[in-house]
Amino acid sequence: MTKYDSKTILVTGVAGFIGFHVAQSLLDLGHKVIGIDSINDYYDVDLKYARLAQLGIDRSDAEQELKSTTGSKFEDRLHFVNILLEDREAMPKLFKAYSFDMVCNLAAQAGVRYSILNPEAYVDSNITGFLNILECCRHYKVKKLVYASSSSVYGNSDRVPFSERANVDNPISLYAATKKSNELMAHCYSHLYGIETIGLRFFTVYGPWGRPDMAMFLFIDAIINDRPINVFNHGNLSRDFTYIDDIVSGTVATLVQSSKNTELYKLYNIGNSKPIKLLNYISEIEKALGKTAIKNMMPMQAGDVKQTFADVKKLKADYGYEPYTPVKQGIIKFVNWYKTYYNC
């Protein structure tokens, strides 16, 4: 594993799926990580605290708002603070206290379908919270911000593979609209204040410690427990499922590596670039479990998209990104983690 000069890096959403793994990788590389999260109850908070425990953060400490906790596993190189992104008083104090070299913003209200039920949560976290991050970067002289965007910005485009050059002015969910907004806001701050901003359009991430609201988690949980799985659009969907290790390698590269691309404002797709039909995906899960799914065929869900397919040539050219985990292998790794975590 390549080592780089040690930096002090803020990772937001550190109790989340991608944030947890990115923080782990940065710590393994020798960096100092300040991880923040609000531990909201969008999904099982026990899973979030279990992720933090893997980093050496005790739950009783993590539950206390605005308390800075040192992780036992990495000693003084890991601090955790329970804080809301949109807290306009506490966040500037955090930036002042730690003098971050760079910021990796992975905190967000996630989920396409939930954005229809609770739109206010998306504006609070994804727009107001992101503005707060940008303002703190501006005032505390942070020169690089890497942030999570989403493949959802492409909407129902039928031009595949999805290219960063494509028009993304037609989102079909509020979640996608907030991510498009983040990209526009970042452009303004790069232009006005000279901050290097790198937006990563994630494509359907899965793997150990994944989110319970994501397809693989839902499918495995239902199949193991003899419940039917909901197969939307009658299975006529395809997704560019991307294993977590590949996502982490690309994200960390944009943080710690330099690039020949000297533009301040950058956008990249980060995916597997090998889409798979939903029914084939389910078939691979069935093989890994040794059990057949009970399929409940459903119509297309509001806000959902029919296909995703990442063109990753730009990220490869600028940062050497190379996804290497086949879906079959990634599914087996996730199933093994699930069985261990849930003791089944």
Side-chain angles (χ1 to χ4, degrees):
M1 183 177 290
T2 304
K3 296 275 187 177
Y4 301 93
D5 292 339
S6 179
K7 302 292 184 182
T8 299
I9 304 171
L10 172 64
V11 177
T12 74
V14 74
F17 175 33
I18 301 175
F20 156 67
H21 283 284
V22 167
Q24 178 79 65
S25 179
L26 290 170
L27 289 161
D28 289 343
L29 287 169
H31 298 289
K32 181 174 181 178
V33 172
I34 313 304
I36 68 171
D37 206 295
S38 64
I39 322 285
N40 70 31
D41 61 359
Y42 169 62
Y43 62 81
D44 181 16
V45 297
D46 289 340
L47 180 59
K48 297 182 179 184
Y49 286 118
R51 293 181 186 129
L52 291 176
Q54 293 292 304
L55 298 173
I57 301 294
D58 184 78
R59 178 168 183 162
S60 61
D61 292 325
E63 289 175 332
Q64 300 182 49
E65 294 181 10
L66 303 181
K67 176 184 177 181
S68 179
T69 301
T70 303
S72 59
K73 186 175 179 181
F74 295 96
E75 299 178 339
D76 195 47
R77 287 197 300 111
L78 173 64
H79 293 245
F80 173 77
V81 183
N82 186 325
I83 187 174
L84 285 165
L85 282 189
E86 58 265 37
D87 190 327
R88 292 182 179 175
E89 293 185 5
M91 285 293 289
K93 292 178 182 177
L94 182 84
F95 273 71
K96 183 177 181 180
Y98 287 104
S99 300
F100 301 117
D101 294 302
M102 55 194 67
V103 172
C104 185
N105 184 50
L106 300 172
Q109 179 56 60
V112 170
R113 293 171 190 134
Y114 187 62
S115 69
I116 296 171
L117 301 174
N118 191 6
E120 292 84 1
Y122 290 77
V123 173
D124 291 344
S125 179
N126 300 8
I127 295 182
T128 302
F130 189 64
L131 175 62
N132 209 16
I133 288 285
L134 288 168
E135 277 290 278
C136 287
C137 287
R138 168 194 172 191
H139 290 292
Y140 292 93
K141 310 304 180 186
V142 176
K143 289 300 182 183
K144 180 186 281 189
L145 166 64
V146 175
Y147 64 96
S149 186
S150 169
S151 62
S152 297
V153 300
Y154 291 106
N156 257 329
S157 173
D158 57 4
R159 298 184 65 179
V160 293
F162 295 164
S163 167
E164 295 93 344
R165 296 185 300 274
N167 184 294
V168 291
D169 291 339
N170 299 291
I172 61 172
S173 71
L174 182 65
Y175 171 72
T178 64
K179 290 302 183 178
K180 168 67 174 178
S181 298
N182 287 172
E183 295 176 1
L184 294 172
M185 294 160 73
H187 186 276
C188 292
Y189 276 71
S190 289
H191 173 72
L192 291 171
Y193 308 114
I195 302 168
E196 181 182 10
T197 63
I198 302 175
L200 299 176
R201 292 174 173 171
F202 293 123
F203 280 70
T204 316
V205 190
Y206 73 98
W209 298 99
R211 279 174 27 210
D213 64 317
M214 296 293 284
M216 179 174 288
F217 208 115
L218 292 169
F219 289 163
I220 291 173
D221 181 63
I223 295 169
I224 284 178
N225 292 289
D226 300 310
R227 298 193 310 271
I229 63 173
N230 291 328
V231 182
F232 294 110
N233 202 36
H234 305 283
N236 295 316
L237 301 171
S238 66
R239 290 289 183 270
D240 198 348
F241 291 102
T242 312
Y243 190 65
I244 184 62
D245 289 0
D246 297 329
I247 289 291
V248 169
S249 68
T251 302
V252 170
T254 61
L255 276 165
V256 302
Q257 292 182 23
S258 58
S259 169
K260 293 180 181 178
N261 183 348
T262 58
E263 296 174 356
L264 287 177
Y265 175 74
K266 305 182 186 73
L267 280 176
Y268 297 101
N269 290 329
I270 179 166
N272 193 35
S273 205
K274 295 181 180 66
I276 182 172
K277 296 291 185 182
L278 182 59
L279 290 177
N280 293 339
Y281 184 68
I282 293 169
S283 177
E284 292 296 337
I285 293 173
E286 291 173 324
K287 291 175 186 175
L289 290 173
K291 194 171 183 179
T292 302
I294 305 166
K295 301 178 185 69
N296 181 23
M297 296 299 186
M298 301 279 288
M300 191 72 170
Q301 294 292 287
D304 217 346
V305 298
K306 293 180 180 179
Q307 63 180 341
T308 61
F309 183 174
D311 179 344
V312 297
K313 291 194 293 291
K314 186 178 176 185
L315 189 57
K316 285 183 179 182
D318 288 358
Y319 291 97
Y321 174 69
E322 194 67 52
Y324 59 87
T325 310
V327 167
K328 181 177 181 178
Q329 180 184 336
I331 287 173
I332 291 170
K333 289 182 177 182
F334 182 87
V335 167
N336 290 340
W337 168 82
Y338 182 96
K339 288 182 174 179
T340 300
Y341 183 77
Y342 288 102
N343 194 26
C344 59

